[in-house]
Amino acid sequence: MKLDELDITNYRNITSAHFVPSPDLTVICGNNGQGKTNLLESVWLLTGGKSFRGSKDAELIKENEDYSVVEGVVSSADEISDIRIFIGGEASEKKGRSAKVNGVDYGRATSVAGKFTSVVFAPNHLSLVKGSPDGRRRFIDAALCQLYPSYITLYRRYMRQVAQKNALLKNLYKTPNALQLLDVYDDFLVEYGTQLCERRQTYLSSITPDIIKNYDDISSGSEQLSIEYVKSFDGDMQAALEATRKKDVYAGFCTVGPHRDDFEITINGKSAKSYASQGQQRSAVLSLKLAEAAGIQAVTGDHPVMLLDDVLSELDDARQEYLLTRMKNKQSIVTACDAGLFDKTDGKIYLMENGMLKIFN
Ligand SMILES: Nc1ncnc2c1ncn2[C@@H]1O[C@H](COP(=O)(O)OP(=O)(O)O)[C@@H](O)[C@H]1O
Ligand SMILES: [Mg+2]
């Protein structure tokens, strides 16, 4: 998958920009607050997804303007498409986010999903290592949802069942036949939960060799990463639910099951969450993101475009060099504040200054 060119109108602080990234590596340099992340975010819009900063439509439109347009020409292994995303503000005739592909109306922007695939690394993704288990579960669930629509159905069924059981646990003494009802809910939880666990574990094992290899490359073989899915219970789920029944009743919620699972990342045998430096954590997240992208390629046949926002800070020279010279065969767009990087990269360089994009080399 490649982004061949991009035209931006009235997007955040960018009034107008024409961007032609290299098929390999492009570096966008500029000081803080100039519009580098805004540019990456506009590329991401072509996936049909929400802004990766979780912003509302109105925030994406340049101040004092009525609408914003992001139009990109993207090519996959078998087609070239022109994706045009229009964002209409309150005063606009057409409100909200809509899309056209090759001039044909596609309705809501989300309907272009799949035409352009991309994986983002944003600084807040460091929470994948540092943060709570729900961010890590989301990483696996989001990837599986993107890859397999059947996973979304399974995931929703399971989560609905958890919500139902939690509601019952909170009103246990007011509900007639509560214990029989709990048995019925548990049967469904076991049916869906066991499948969910298996699919997550299968996915994680399938990308684990790649994650380990990426980390080995980024750290020039000096450190070893390992990763392991950690279930919230031992053995079989039915037995686990029976064993924790009293605890669940006391807690008022369902304390075991895939909704409480996690995965643990270790670097040289030590927990990355507690021991790793910022640079090591960044490298670990990057290894996960690159593996996620390779996983998408394995299923769709196309490697997604990598959008790496502020990934270089806190990485040592060797790690920066890896990112700036060795990520061939996959299109990557990287932002950085450090102008000293110019000498280190063989990529195409753009400068972003106050919303103006200029080519440097
Ligand atoms: N809707 C908007 N209209 C105008 N400017 C905006 C809008 N949204 C954000 N900005 C401006 O964009 C700038 C931040 O851009 P950003 O891409 O995050 O910077 P950086 O280069 O550090 O990544 C800020 O100055 C902010 O005020
Ligand atoms: Mg930024």
Side-chain angles (χ1 to χ4, degrees):
M1 181 65 69
K2 298 268 191 282
L3 172 67
D4 299 332
E5 55 182 295
L6 183 77
D7 282 288
I8 305 171
T9 311
N10 295 338
Y11 188 80
R12 291 206 189 255
N13 71 335
I14 306 170
T15 307
S16 169
H18 181 63
F19 177 49
V20 186
S22 149
D24 307 311
L25 175 71
T26 305
V27 183
I28 321 268
C29 280
N31 292 334
N32 291 327
Q34 300 303 308
K36 302 182 298 297
T37 302
N38 295 346
L39 177 74
L40 284 194
E41 192 185 42
S42 75
V43 174
W44 173 257
L45 280 196
L46 302 177
T47 63
K50 295 210 159 63
S51 146
F52 58 75
R53 288 195 277 202
S55 309
K56 300 192 185 80
D57 288 350
E59 294 164 10
L60 307 181
I61 303 168
K62 186 159 196 253
E63 255 163 4
N64 305 321
E65 298 292 342
D66 295 339
Y67 67 90
S68 168
V69 180
V70 176
E71 183 163 7
V73 178
V74 305
S75 46
S76 67
D78 44 36
E79 62 176 356
I80 296 182
S81 319
D82 183 307
I83 305 176
R84 185 177 194 270
I85 307 287
F86 177 91
I87 310 167
E90 279 308 312
S92 159
E93 244 172 63
K94 205 170 182 181
K95 295 180 189 42
R97 237 176 272 191
S98 55
K100 279 188 179 176
V101 177
N102 300 330
V104 178
D105 249 320
Y106 255 58
R108 285 162 55 153
T110 46
S111 54
V112 301
K115 288 264 166 215
F116 176 68
T117 54
S118 174
V119 166
V120 187
F121 172 98
N124 64 356
H125 290 141
L126 279 177
S127 63
L128 250 180
V129 176
K130 287 201 289 195
S132 56
D134 59 306
R136 286 181 286 280
R137 287 193 295 269
R138 216 174 314 123
F139 171 78
I140 300 188
D141 289 334
L144 282 164
C145 285
Q146 235 191 84
L147 291 171
Y148 311 104
S150 65
Y151 186 80
I152 305 175
T153 315
L154 177 65
Y155 176 80
R156 288 198 182 133
R157 279 187 182 149
Y158 176 77
M159 292 311 282
R160 215 168 6 218
Q161 207 58 48
V162 171
Q164 232 170 11
K165 182 172 172 183
N166 286 347
L168 176 60
L169 286 168
K170 285 198 179 69
N171 291 294
L172 203 64
Y173 300 108
K174 292 184 220 149
T175 314
N177 303 321
L179 292 179
Q180 285 94 322
L181 212 49
L182 271 182
D183 286 340
V184 175
Y185 288 178
D186 279 358
D187 285 345
F188 281 113
L189 281 175
V190 170
E191 185 188 335
Y192 304 142
T194 308
Q195 291 178 56
L196 204 67
C197 263
E198 273 172 16
R199 295 191 64 173
R200 282 191 188 154
Q201 285 176 295
T202 307
Y203 172 71
L204 195 65
S205 335
S206 75
I207 63 167
T208 292
D210 220 29
I211 299 172
I212 293 173
K213 164 88 171 53
N214 292 337
Y215 196 87
D216 186 66
D217 286 346
I218 295 172
S219 70
S220 312
S222 65
E223 291 163 6
Q224 204 180 9
L225 177 143
S226 65
I227 195 159
E228 195 184 351
Y229 191 84
V230 184
K231 289 210 299 195
S232 54
F233 56 93
D234 292 326
D236 130 296
M237 193 170 159
Q238 180 81 50
L241 288 181
E242 280 165 25
T244 54
R245 172 73 61 94
K246 266 195 191 142
K247 190 176 163 195
D248 287 1
V249 169
Y250 185 71
F253 62 90
C254 201
T255 59
V256 295
H259 63 293
R260 309 269 291 176
D261 288 357
D262 195 0
F263 62 83
E264 188 174 32
I265 304 164
T266 54
I267 296 170
N268 289 345
K270 284 187 172 161
S271 157
K273 186 176 179 173
S274 335
Y275 289 99
S277 73
Q278 295 271 17
Q280 288 173 316
Q281 291 181 344
R282 222 167 259 266
S283 309
V285 174
L286 200 58
S287 305
L288 285 161
K289 290 277 167 187
L290 290 168
E292 178 192 356
I296 294 175
Q297 181 179 27
V299 174
T300 66
D302 255 321
H303 195 285
V305 174
M306 303 298 301
L307 304 175
L308 306 177
D309 194 17
D310 263 335
V311 67
L312 297 168
S313 46
E314 310 205 38
L315 294 186
D316 59 35
D317 283 352
R319 287 175 202 226
Q320 288 193 351
E321 189 195 320
Y322 170 79
L323 282 175
L324 292 171
T325 58
R326 276 190 282 159
M327 298 229 312
K328 299 284 181 200
N329 311 322
K330 23 189 171 251
Q331 190 181 33
S332 314
I333 305 172
V334 182
T335 69
C337 291
D338 182 2
L341 295 169
F342 291 179
D343 302 334
K344 295 186 198 162
T345 182
D346 52 5
K348 187 168 180 179
I349 301 174
Y350 273 93
L351 299 180
M352 180 61 96
E353 205 178 289
N354 196 17
M356 310 270 278
L357 188 66
K358 279 177 255 167
I359 189 148
F360 180 79
N361 63 354

PDB file of all heavy atoms in Angstrom, residues 167-196:
ATOM      1  N   ALA A 167     -24.562  -6.775  35.744  1.00  0.00           N
ATOM      2  CA  ALA A 167     -25.823  -6.166  36.189  1.00  0.00           C
ATOM      3  C   ALA A 167     -26.527  -7.094  37.165  1.00  0.00           C
ATOM      4  O   ALA A 167     -27.052  -6.659  38.198  1.00  0.00           O
ATOM      5  CB  ALA A 167     -26.713  -5.873  34.980  1.00  0.00           C
ATOM      6  N   LEU A 168     -26.484  -8.392  36.863  1.00  0.00           N
ATOM      7  CA  LEU A 168     -27.122  -9.365  37.748  1.00  0.00           C
ATOM      8  C   LEU A 168     -26.396  -9.430  39.100  1.00  0.00           C
ATOM      9  O   LEU A 168     -27.026  -9.468  40.153  1.00  0.00           O
ATOM     10  CB  LEU A 168     -27.131 -10.740  37.066  1.00  0.00           C
ATOM     11  CG  LEU A 168     -27.674 -11.913  37.888  1.00  0.00           C
ATOM     12  CD1 LEU A 168     -29.128 -11.679  38.294  1.00  0.00           C
ATOM     13  CD2 LEU A 168     -27.587 -13.215  37.085  1.00  0.00           C
ATOM     14  N   LEU A 169     -25.067  -9.425  39.051  1.00  0.00           N
ATOM     15  CA  LEU A 169     -24.293  -9.498  40.303  1.00  0.00           C
ATOM     16  C   LEU A 169     -24.591  -8.302  41.205  1.00  0.00           C
ATOM     17  O   LEU A 169     -24.573  -8.412  42.423  1.00  0.00           O
ATOM     18  CB  LEU A 169     -22.789  -9.563  39.998  1.00  0.00           C
ATOM     19  CG  LEU A 169     -22.280 -10.912  39.463  1.00  0.00           C
ATOM     20  CD1 LEU A 169     -20.861 -10.774  38.911  1.00  0.00           C
ATOM     21  CD2 LEU A 169     -22.306 -11.990  40.545  1.00  0.00           C
ATOM     22  N   LYS A 170     -24.891  -7.165  40.583  1.00  0.00           N
ATOM     23  CA  LYS A 170     -25.187  -5.969  41.389  1.00  0.00           C
ATOM     24  C   LYS A 170     -26.580  -6.037  42.019  1.00  0.00           C
ATOM     25  O   LYS A 170     -26.845  -5.371  43.013  1.00  0.00           O
ATOM     26  CB  LYS A 170     -25.066  -4.716  40.518  1.00  0.00           C
ATOM     27  CG  LYS A 170     -23.622  -4.382  40.255  1.00  0.00           C
ATOM     28  CD  LYS A 170     -23.392  -2.966  39.794  1.00  0.00           C
ATOM     29  CE  LYS A 170     -21.905  -2.749  39.582  1.00  0.00           C
ATOM     30  NZ  LYS A 170     -21.357  -3.500  38.419  1.00  0.00           N
ATOM     31  N   ASN A 171     -27.468  -6.806  41.391  1.00  0.00           N
ATOM     32  CA  ASN A 171     -28.848  -6.893  41.896  1.00  0.00           C
ATOM     33  C   ASN A 171     -29.214  -8.305  42.300  1.00  0.00           C
ATOM     34  O   ASN A 171     -30.368  -8.713  42.205  1.00  0.00           O
ATOM     35  CB  ASN A 171     -29.824  -6.427  40.801  1.00  0.00           C
ATOM     36  CG  ASN A 171     -29.686  -4.948  40.559  1.00  0.00           C
ATOM     37  OD1 ASN A 171     -29.994  -4.143  41.428  1.00  0.00           O
ATOM     38  ND2 ASN A 171     -29.197  -4.595  39.388  1.00  0.00           N
ATOM     39  N   LEU A 172     -28.225  -9.041  42.760  1.00  0.00           N
ATOM     40  CA  LEU A 172     -28.387 -10.467  43.007  1.00  0.00           C
ATOM     41  C   LEU A 172     -29.539 -10.780  43.960  1.00  0.00           C
ATOM     42  O   LEU A 172     -30.355 -11.661  43.710  1.00  0.00           O
ATOM     43  CB  LEU A 172     -27.075 -11.009  43.585  1.00  0.00           C
ATOM     44  CG  LEU A 172     -26.859 -12.487  43.402  1.00  0.00           C
ATOM     45  CD1 LEU A 172     -26.747 -12.835  41.922  1.00  0.00           C
ATOM     46  CD2 LEU A 172     -25.584 -12.923  44.117  1.00  0.00           C
ATOM     47  N   TYR A 173     -29.591 -10.020  45.053  1.00  0.00           N
ATOM     48  CA  TYR A 173     -30.563 -10.376  46.081  1.00  0.00           C
ATOM     49  C   TYR A 173     -31.973  -9.921  45.738  1.00  0.00           C
ATOM     50  O   TYR A 173     -32.925 -10.325  46.374  1.00  0.00           O
ATOM     51  CB  TYR A 173     -30.081  -9.830  47.436  1.00  0.00           C
ATOM     52  CG  TYR A 173     -28.750 -10.418  47.779  1.00  0.00           C
ATOM     53  CD1 TYR A 173     -27.588  -9.651  47.720  1.00  0.00           C
ATOM     54  CD2 TYR A 173     -28.638 -11.775  48.086  1.00  0.00           C
ATOM     55  CE1 TYR A 173     -26.356 -10.223  47.978  1.00  0.00           C
ATOM     56  CE2 TYR A 173     -27.395 -12.349  48.342  1.00  0.00           C
ATOM     57  CZ  TYR A 173     -26.255 -11.568  48.293  1.00  0.00           C
ATOM     58  OH  TYR A 173     -25.040 -12.141  48.529  1.00  0.00           O
ATOM     59  N   LYS A 174     -32.096  -9.092  44.703  1.00  0.00           N
ATOM     60  CA  LYS A 174     -33.442  -8.643  44.295  1.00  0.00           C
ATOM     61  C   LYS A 174     -33.979  -9.481  43.142  1.00  0.00           C
ATOM     62  O   LYS A 174     -35.107  -9.316  42.724  1.00  0.00           O
ATOM     63  CB  LYS A 174     -33.374  -7.177  43.826  1.00  0.00           C
ATOM     64  CG  LYS A 174     -33.067  -6.193  44.923  1.00  0.00           C
ATOM     65  CD  LYS A 174     -33.123  -4.781  44.333  1.00  0.00           C
ATOM     66  CE  LYS A 174     -32.013  -3.929  44.899  1.00  0.00           C
ATOM     67  NZ  LYS A 174     -31.533  -2.930  43.978  1.00  0.00           N
ATOM     68  N   THR A 175     -33.110 -10.328  42.568  1.00  0.00           N
ATOM     69  CA  THR A 175     -33.520 -11.048  41.360  1.00  0.00           C
ATOM     70  C   THR A 175     -33.972 -12.465  41.696  1.00  0.00           C
ATOM     71  O   THR A 175     -33.201 -13.218  42.320  1.00  0.00           O
ATOM     72  CB  THR A 175     -32.329 -11.126  40.373  1.00  0.00           C
ATOM     73  OG1 THR A 175     -31.738  -9.841  40.284  1.00  0.00           O
ATOM     74  CG2 THR A 175     -32.768 -11.596  38.994  1.00  0.00           C
ATOM     75  N   PRO A 176     -35.193 -12.851  41.306  1.00  0.00           N
ATOM     76  CA  PRO A 176     -35.617 -14.235  41.557  1.00  0.00           C
ATOM     77  C   PRO A 176     -34.762 -15.209  40.730  1.00  0.00           C
ATOM     78  O   PRO A 176     -34.342 -14.863  39.618  1.00  0.00           O
ATOM     79  CB  PRO A 176     -37.076 -14.261  41.076  1.00  0.00           C
ATOM     80  CG  PRO A 176     -37.428 -12.884  40.663  1.00  0.00           C
ATOM     81  CD  PRO A 176     -36.203 -12.058  40.601  1.00  0.00           C
ATOM     82  N   ASN A 177     -34.517 -16.376  41.273  1.00  0.00           N
ATOM     83  CA  ASN A 177     -33.719 -17.408  40.593  1.00  0.00           C
ATOM     84  C   ASN A 177     -32.348 -16.924  40.129  1.00  0.00           C
ATOM     85  O   ASN A 177     -31.841 -17.347  39.083  1.00  0.00           O
ATOM     86  CB  ASN A 177     -34.467 -17.981  39.373  1.00  0.00           C
ATOM     87  CG  ASN A 177     -35.809 -18.543  39.761  1.00  0.00           C
ATOM     88  OD1 ASN A 177     -35.942 -19.174  40.815  1.00  0.00           O
ATOM     89  ND2 ASN A 177     -36.811 -18.287  38.932  1.00  0.00           N
ATOM     90  N   ALA A 178     -31.760 -16.025  40.908  1.00  0.00           N
ATOM     91  CA  ALA A 178     -30.506 -15.410  40.482  1.00  0.00           C
ATOM     92  C   ALA A 178     -29.395 -16.434  40.224  1.00  0.00           C
ATOM     93  O   ALA A 178     -28.654 -16.315  39.248  1.00  0.00           O
ATOM     94  CB  ALA A 178     -30.052 -14.394  41.521  1.00  0.00           C
ATOM     95  N   LEU A 179     -29.331 -17.461  41.105  1.00  0.00           N
ATOM     96  CA  LEU A 179     -28.219 -18.392  40.954  1.00  0.00           C
ATOM     97  C   LEU A 179     -28.325 -19.234  39.684  1.00  0.00           C
ATOM     98  O   LEU A 179     -27.337 -19.470  38.995  1.00  0.00           O
ATOM     99  CB  LEU A 179     -28.098 -19.286  42.198  1.00  0.00           C
ATOM    100  CG  LEU A 179     -27.665 -18.512  43.453  1.00  0.00           C
ATOM    101  CD1 LEU A 179     -27.597 -19.446  44.662  1.00  0.00           C
ATOM    102  CD2 LEU A 179     -26.319 -17.811  43.247  1.00  0.00           C
ATOM    103  N   GLN A 180     -29.573 -19.642  39.371  1.00  0.00           N
ATOM    104  CA  GLN A 180     -29.772 -20.390  38.118  1.00  0.00           C
ATOM    105  C   GLN A 180     -29.418 -19.511  36.916  1.00  0.00           C
ATOM    106  O   GLN A 180     -28.817 -19.961  35.954  1.00  0.00           O
ATOM    107  CB  GLN A 180     -31.226 -20.866  37.963  1.00  0.00           C
ATOM    108  CG  GLN A 180     -31.594 -22.047  38.842  1.00  0.00           C
ATOM    109  CD  GLN A 180     -32.221 -21.580  40.162  1.00  0.00           C
ATOM    110  OE1 GLN A 180     -31.809 -20.570  40.746  1.00  0.00           O
ATOM    111  NE2 GLN A 180     -33.210 -22.321  40.631  1.00  0.00           N
ATOM    112  N   LEU A 181     -29.806 -18.247  37.037  1.00  0.00           N
ATOM    113  CA  LEU A 181     -29.531 -17.308  35.956  1.00  0.00           C
ATOM    114  C   LEU A 181     -28.020 -17.124  35.769  1.00  0.00           C
ATOM    115  O   LEU A 181     -27.497 -17.098  34.654  1.00  0.00           O
ATOM    116  CB  LEU A 181     -30.182 -15.961  36.305  1.00  0.00           C
ATOM    117  CG  LEU A 181     -30.699 -15.101  35.156  1.00  0.00           C
ATOM    118  CD1 LEU A 181     -31.557 -15.894  34.195  1.00  0.00           C
ATOM    119  CD2 LEU A 181     -31.504 -13.922  35.727  1.00  0.00           C
ATOM    120  N   LEU A 182     -27.318 -17.070  36.916  1.00  0.00           N
ATOM    121  CA  LEU A 182     -25.853 -16.946  36.845  1.00  0.00           C
ATOM    122  C   LEU A 182     -25.246 -18.145  36.111  1.00  0.00           C
ATOM    123  O   LEU A 182     -24.325 -17.989  35.315  1.00  0.00           O
ATOM    124  CB  LEU A 182     -25.259 -16.875  38.254  1.00  0.00           C
ATOM    125  CG  LEU A 182     -25.114 -15.503  38.894  1.00  0.00           C
ATOM    126  CD1 LEU A 182     -24.452 -15.643  40.265  1.00  0.00           C
ATOM    127  CD2 LEU A 182     -24.296 -14.559  38.037  1.00  0.00           C
ATOM    128  N   ASP A 183     -25.804 -19.342  36.380  1.00  0.00           N
ATOM    129  CA  ASP A 183     -25.303 -20.542  35.694  1.00  0.00           C
ATOM    130  C   ASP A 183     -25.473 -20.411  34.184  1.00  0.00           C
ATOM    131  O   ASP A 183     -24.578 -20.751  33.411  1.00  0.00           O
ATOM    132  CB  ASP A 183     -26.055 -21.794  36.172  1.00  0.00           C
ATOM    133  CG  ASP A 183     -25.614 -22.209  37.574  1.00  0.00           C
ATOM    134  OD1 ASP A 183     -24.510 -21.791  37.980  1.00  0.00           O
ATOM    135  OD2 ASP A 183     -26.383 -22.929  38.256  1.00  0.00           O
ATOM    136  N   VAL A 184     -26.654 -19.900  33.791  1.00  0.00           N
ATOM    137  CA  VAL A 184     -26.917 -19.755  32.353  1.00  0.00           C
ATOM    138  C   VAL A 184     -25.932 -18.746  31.745  1.00  0.00           C
ATOM    139  O   VAL A 184     -25.325 -18.996  30.698  1.00  0.00           O
ATOM    140  CB  VAL A 184     -28.377 -19.280  32.107  1.00  0.00           C
ATOM    141  CG1 VAL A 184     -28.621 -19.002  30.630  1.00  0.00           C
ATOM    142  CG2 VAL A 184     -29.369 -20.304  32.642  1.00  0.00           C
ATOM    143  N   TYR A 185     -25.763 -17.605  32.426  1.00  0.00           N
ATOM    144  CA  TYR A 185     -24.831 -16.585  31.912  1.00  0.00           C
ATOM    145  C   TYR A 185     -23.421 -17.154  31.811  1.00  0.00           C
ATOM    146  O   TYR A 185     -22.698 -16.904  30.850  1.00  0.00           O
ATOM    147  CB  TYR A 185     -24.810 -15.363  32.832  1.00  0.00           C
ATOM    148  CG  TYR A 185     -26.059 -14.509  32.764  1.00  0.00           C
ATOM    149  CD1 TYR A 185     -26.192 -13.392  33.584  1.00  0.00           C
ATOM    150  CD2 TYR A 185     -27.092 -14.798  31.881  1.00  0.00           C
ATOM    151  CE1 TYR A 185     -27.327 -12.593  33.538  1.00  0.00           C
ATOM    152  CE2 TYR A 185     -28.229 -14.018  31.830  1.00  0.00           C
ATOM    153  CZ  TYR A 185     -28.345 -12.914  32.658  1.00  0.00           C
ATOM    154  OH  TYR A 185     -29.453 -12.138  32.607  1.00  0.00           O
ATOM    155  N   ASP A 186     -23.029 -17.929  32.838  1.00  0.00           N
ATOM    156  CA  ASP A 186     -21.682 -18.500  32.832  1.00  0.00           C
ATOM    157  C   ASP A 186     -21.480 -19.430  31.635  1.00  0.00           C
ATOM    158  O   ASP A 186     -20.408 -19.439  31.039  1.00  0.00           O
ATOM    159  CB  ASP A 186     -21.411 -19.268  34.141  1.00  0.00           C
ATOM    160  CG  ASP A 186     -21.010 -18.312  35.265  1.00  0.00           C
ATOM    161  OD1 ASP A 186     -20.921 -17.103  34.997  1.00  0.00           O
ATOM    162  OD2 ASP A 186     -20.785 -18.785  36.402  1.00  0.00           O
ATOM    163  N   ASP A 187     -22.528 -20.213  31.292  1.00  0.00           N
ATOM    164  CA  ASP A 187     -22.396 -21.108  30.138  1.00  0.00           C
ATOM    165  C   ASP A 187     -22.051 -20.308  28.883  1.00  0.00           C
ATOM    166  O   ASP A 187     -21.179 -20.689  28.105  1.00  0.00           O
ATOM    167  CB  ASP A 187     -23.698 -21.895  29.902  1.00  0.00           C
ATOM    168  CG  ASP A 187     -23.861 -23.005  30.932  1.00  0.00           C
ATOM    169  OD1 ASP A 187     -22.862 -23.324  31.609  1.00  0.00           O
ATOM    170  OD2 ASP A 187     -24.989 -23.533  31.070  1.00  0.00           O
ATOM    171  N   PHE A 188     -22.758 -19.196  28.681  1.00  0.00           N
ATOM    172  CA  PHE A 188     -22.471 -18.360  27.499  1.00  0.00           C
ATOM    173  C   PHE A 188     -21.077 -17.728  27.589  1.00  0.00           C
ATOM    174  O   PHE A 188     -20.357 -17.669  26.605  1.00  0.00           O
ATOM    175  CB  PHE A 188     -23.525 -17.256  27.348  1.00  0.00           C
ATOM    176  CG  PHE A 188     -24.802 -17.749  26.740  1.00  0.00           C
ATOM    177  CD1 PHE A 188     -25.976 -17.785  27.486  1.00  0.00           C
ATOM    178  CD2 PHE A 188     -24.837 -18.190  25.424  1.00  0.00           C
ATOM    179  CE1 PHE A 188     -27.164 -18.236  26.933  1.00  0.00           C
ATOM    180  CE2 PHE A 188     -26.025 -18.651  24.857  1.00  0.00           C
ATOM    181  CZ  PHE A 188     -27.190 -18.674  25.616  1.00  0.00           C
ATOM    182  N   LEU A 189     -20.748 -17.270  28.811  1.00  0.00           N
ATOM    183  CA  LEU A 189     -19.420 -16.656  28.989  1.00  0.00           C
ATOM    184  C   LEU A 189     -18.323 -17.642  28.620  1.00  0.00           C
ATOM    185  O   LEU A 189     -17.344 -17.287  27.976  1.00  0.00           O
ATOM    186  CB  LEU A 189     -19.227 -16.199  30.439  1.00  0.00           C
ATOM    187  CG  LEU A 189     -19.892 -14.887  30.823  1.00  0.00           C
ATOM    188  CD1 LEU A 189     -19.706 -14.626  32.318  1.00  0.00           C
ATOM    189  CD2 LEU A 189     -19.315 -13.726  30.031  1.00  0.00           C
ATOM    190  N   VAL A 190     -18.513 -18.894  29.038  1.00  0.00           N
ATOM    191  CA  VAL A 190     -17.498 -19.914  28.753  1.00  0.00           C
ATOM    192  C   VAL A 190     -17.425 -20.164  27.247  1.00  0.00           C
ATOM    193  O   VAL A 190     -16.343 -20.215  26.653  1.00  0.00           O
ATOM    194  CB  VAL A 190     -17.809 -21.229  29.516  1.00  0.00           C
ATOM    195  CG1 VAL A 190     -16.918 -22.358  29.035  1.00  0.00           C
ATOM    196  CG2 VAL A 190     -17.652 -21.015  31.015  1.00  0.00           C
ATOM    197  N   GLU A 191     -18.612 -20.254  26.614  1.00  0.00           N
ATOM    198  CA  GLU A 191     -18.623 -20.540  25.173  1.00  0.00           C
ATOM    199  C   GLU A 191     -17.892 -19.436  24.396  1.00  0.00           C
ATOM    200  O   GLU A 191     -16.976 -19.711  23.613  1.00  0.00           O
ATOM    201  CB  GLU A 191     -20.075 -20.668  24.693  1.00  0.00           C
ATOM    202  CG  GLU A 191     -20.144 -21.081  23.231  1.00  0.00           C
ATOM    203  CD  GLU A 191     -21.566 -21.015  22.674  1.00  0.00           C
ATOM    204  OE1 GLU A 191     -22.527 -21.122  23.461  1.00  0.00           O
ATOM    205  OE2 GLU A 191     -21.686 -20.836  21.443  1.00  0.00           O
ATOM    206  N   TYR A 192     -18.287 -18.182  24.614  1.00  0.00           N
ATOM    207  CA  TYR A 192     -17.674 -17.088  23.853  1.00  0.00           C
ATOM    208  C   TYR A 192     -16.263 -16.777  24.349  1.00  0.00           C
ATOM    209  O   TYR A 192     -15.358 -16.502  23.561  1.00  0.00           O
ATOM    210  CB  TYR A 192     -18.512 -15.805  23.956  1.00  0.00           C
ATOM    211  CG  TYR A 192     -19.954 -15.959  23.530  1.00  0.00           C
ATOM    212  CD1 TYR A 192     -20.970 -15.301  24.212  1.00  0.00           C
ATOM    213  CD2 TYR A 192     -20.290 -16.765  22.438  1.00  0.00           C
ATOM    214  CE1 TYR A 192     -22.300 -15.435  23.824  1.00  0.00           C
ATOM    215  CE2 TYR A 192     -21.615 -16.910  22.056  1.00  0.00           C
ATOM    216  CZ  TYR A 192     -22.613 -16.242  22.754  1.00  0.00           C
ATOM    217  OH  TYR A 192     -23.915 -16.383  22.374  1.00  0.00           O
ATOM    218  N   GLY A 193     -16.104 -16.799  25.689  1.00  0.00           N
ATOM    219  CA  GLY A 193     -14.825 -16.410  26.284  1.00  0.00           C
ATOM    220  C   GLY A 193     -13.690 -17.336  25.880  1.00  0.00           C
ATOM    221  O   GLY A 193     -12.575 -16.883  25.619  1.00  0.00           O
ATOM    222  N   THR A 194     -13.992 -18.652  25.824  1.00  0.00           N
ATOM    223  CA  THR A 194     -12.946 -19.598  25.456  1.00  0.00           C
ATOM    224  C   THR A 194     -12.479 -19.340  24.025  1.00  0.00           C
ATOM    225  O   THR A 194     -11.280 -19.311  23.735  1.00  0.00           O
ATOM    226  CB  THR A 194     -13.477 -21.055  25.586  1.00  0.00           C
ATOM    227  OG1 THR A 194     -14.038 -21.189  26.892  1.00  0.00           O
ATOM    228  CG2 THR A 194     -12.395 -22.071  25.381  1.00  0.00           C
ATOM    229  N   GLN A 195     -13.446 -19.086  23.140  1.00  0.00           N
ATOM    230  CA  GLN A 195     -13.072 -18.792  21.743  1.00  0.00           C
ATOM    231  C   GLN A 195     -12.260 -17.505  21.648  1.00  0.00           C
ATOM    232  O   GLN A 195     -11.280 -17.414  20.906  1.00  0.00           O
ATOM    233  CB  GLN A 195     -14.322 -18.613  20.881  1.00  0.00           C
ATOM    234  CG  GLN A 195     -15.123 -19.875  20.644  1.00  0.00           C
ATOM    235  CD  GLN A 195     -16.366 -19.545  19.817  1.00  0.00           C
ATOM    236  OE1 GLN A 195     -16.271 -18.987  18.725  1.00  0.00           O
ATOM    237  NE2 GLN A 195     -17.523 -19.864  20.342  1.00  0.00           N
ATOM    238  N   LEU A 196     -12.711 -16.492  22.413  1.00  0.00           N
ATOM    239  CA  LEU A 196     -12.043 -15.189  22.375  1.00  0.00           C
ATOM    240  C   LEU A 196     -10.575 -15.329  22.810  1.00  0.00           C
ATOM    241  O   LEU A 196      -9.661 -14.839  22.140  1.00  0.00           O
ATOM    242  CB  LEU A 196     -12.778 -14.239  23.327  1.00  0.00           C
ATOM    243  CG  LEU A 196     -12.658 -12.754  23.067  1.00  0.00           C
ATOM    244  CD1 LEU A 196     -13.337 -12.365  21.772  1.00  0.00           C
ATOM    245  CD2 LEU A 196     -13.299 -11.966  24.214  1.00  0.00           C
TER     246      LEU A 196
END
